[in-house]
């Protein structure tokens, strides 16, 4: 904890009011751009490749489900070029959105490397798992064994976030994108304008707080980060309870 709080203090002090807005803005844009590129690639791989393999495995174990349309609109047991392309594009979109969430929460990650990787992966896995696993529809009532079907779709977001965390942080350390590469990384956010505006508002608020003694003291205090972590822990706990209830109802 002390190590993290020291890093947080350094980060806040580095962005004092004496730092030009343009410099801070370019730094934030670079971070978002790099993580968007990495997140999009990881999402396309995990959903388009790993997800397709998971579907293939479940289809092989459930031949009676062949030809049935899943809750997501895919025909079980049927592999087509258009369907695979659609899956990759869906993964790309979800990967970009996931990168945006990661940008928001990455400053709250604490502990040694193994603990950061564990917590940043398991949290989204539980939350997304609670959304994906449901008692209505055909997916989890038709596909067996239930533990495997549910486990695979819970594991996919965990794998995605783990890859984003490891590859994204390394890319931020080593990659200095050119202007046109930054433009490519930021281009998807033009289509996600409401989320982009929310990210811009958060950046502006944090940057403005540094201009006041009270605001800087608040940012240097460990309590806001602890409060936010507690909120995320409550969210994960609620998702875990919901996931458990759905699995019990399906079994």
């Amino acid at each position: 904890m002390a190590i993290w709080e020291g890093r947080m203090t350094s980060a806040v002090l580095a962005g004092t009011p004496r730092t030009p807005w343009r410099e801070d803005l370019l730094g934030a844009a670079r971070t978002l751009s790099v993580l968007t590129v990495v997140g999009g690639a990881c999402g396309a791989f995990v959903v388009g490749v790993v997800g397709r393999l998971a579907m293939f495995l479940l289809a092989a174990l459930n031949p009676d489900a062949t030809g049935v349309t899943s809750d997501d609109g895919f025909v079980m047991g049927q592999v087509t070029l258009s369907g695979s392309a659609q899956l990759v594009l869906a993964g790309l979109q979800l990967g970009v959105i996931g990168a945006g969430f990661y940008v928001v929460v990455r400053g709250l990650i604490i502990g040694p490397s193994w603990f950061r990787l564990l917590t940043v992966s398991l949290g989204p896995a539980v939350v997304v798992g609670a959304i994906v696993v449901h008692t209505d529809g055909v997916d989890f009532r038709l596909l067996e064994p239930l533990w495997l079907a549910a486990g695979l779709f819970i594991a996919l977001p965990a794998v995605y976030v783990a890859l984003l965390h490891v590859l994204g942080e390394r890319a931020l350390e080593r990659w200095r994108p050119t202007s046109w590469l930054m433009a490519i990384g930021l281009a998807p956010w033009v289509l996600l304008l409401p989320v982009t505006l929310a990210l811009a508002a958060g950046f502006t608020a944090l940057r403005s707080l540094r201009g006041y003694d009270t605001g800087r003291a608040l940012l240097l205090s460990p309590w806001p980060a602890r409060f936010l972590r507690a909120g995320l822990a409550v969210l994960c706990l609620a998702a875990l309870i919901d996931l458990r209830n759905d699995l019990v109802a399906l079994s």
Side-chain angles (χ1 to χ4, degrees), residues 4-250:
W4 163 249
E5 289 174 359
R7 290 177 180 172
M8 184 177 181
T9 300
S10 299
V12 173
L13 290 177
T16 60
R18 290 185 294 273
T19 305
W21 268 85
R22 183 177 182 275
E23 184 176 333
D24 278 353
L25 185 59
L26 285 176
R30 174 186 169 272
T31 297
L32 180 61
S33 175
V34 170
L35 291 177
T36 296
V37 171
V38 175
C42 290
F45 171 74
V46 171
V47 177
V49 178
V50 182
R52 174 60 82 184
L53 292 175
M55 293 178 184
F56 181 79
L57 174 61
L58 291 173
L61 294 174
N62 297 271
D64 294 340
T66 300
V68 176
T69 302
S70 71
D71 297 334
D72 296 322
F74 293 95
V75 179
M76 298 182 185
Q78 185 179 95
V79 179
T80 63
L81 182 60
S82 61
S84 298
Q86 183 180 354
L87 205 58
V88 170
L89 288 176
L92 179 64
Q93 294 171 351
L94 293 173
V96 169
I97 295 173
F101 281 106
Y102 182 76
V103 168
V104 173
V105 304
R106 67 187 290 261
L108 300 175
I109 305 172
I110 60 173
S113 298
W114 68 267
F115 184 76
R116 293 199 298 270
L117 180 60
L118 181 67
T119 54
V120 80
S121 304
L122 291 184
V126 170
V127 174
V128 175
I131 296 172
V132 173
V133 177
H134 48 270
T135 56
D136 54 345
V138 300
D139 288 358
F140 297 98
R141 292 193 177 277
L142 189 61
L143 298 176
E144 296 180 347
L146 174 63
W147 66 267
L148 180 61
L152 287 173
F153 286 98
I154 293 172
L156 287 177
V159 173
Y160 161 74
V161 179
L163 287 175
L164 172 60
H165 175 67
V166 173
L167 299 179
E169 294 301 331
R170 289 182 180 178
L172 287 173
E173 291 177 0
R174 305 174 184 178
W175 188 25
R176 294 296 180 267
T178 59
S179 298
W180 68 271
L181 283 176
M182 281 188 62
I184 292 175
L186 295 175
W189 296 101
V190 177
L191 303 176
L192 298 169
L193 189 58
V195 182
T196 306
L197 292 176
L199 291 174
F203 168 80
T204 303
L206 286 174
R207 185 58 174 73
S208 299
L209 280 174
R210 296 188 184 121
Y212 303 93
D213 292 340
T214 303
R216 292 188 65 202
L218 179 65
L219 292 176
L220 290 171
S221 170
W223 288 106
R226 292 173 182 173
F227 178 78
L228 292 173
R229 291 190 198 106
L232 291 175
V234 171
L235 174 63
C236 291
L237 179 60
L240 182 61
I241 294 173
D242 181 62
L243 178 59
R244 175 195 173 277
N245 291 340
D246 284 342
L247 291 175
V248 170
L250 287 167

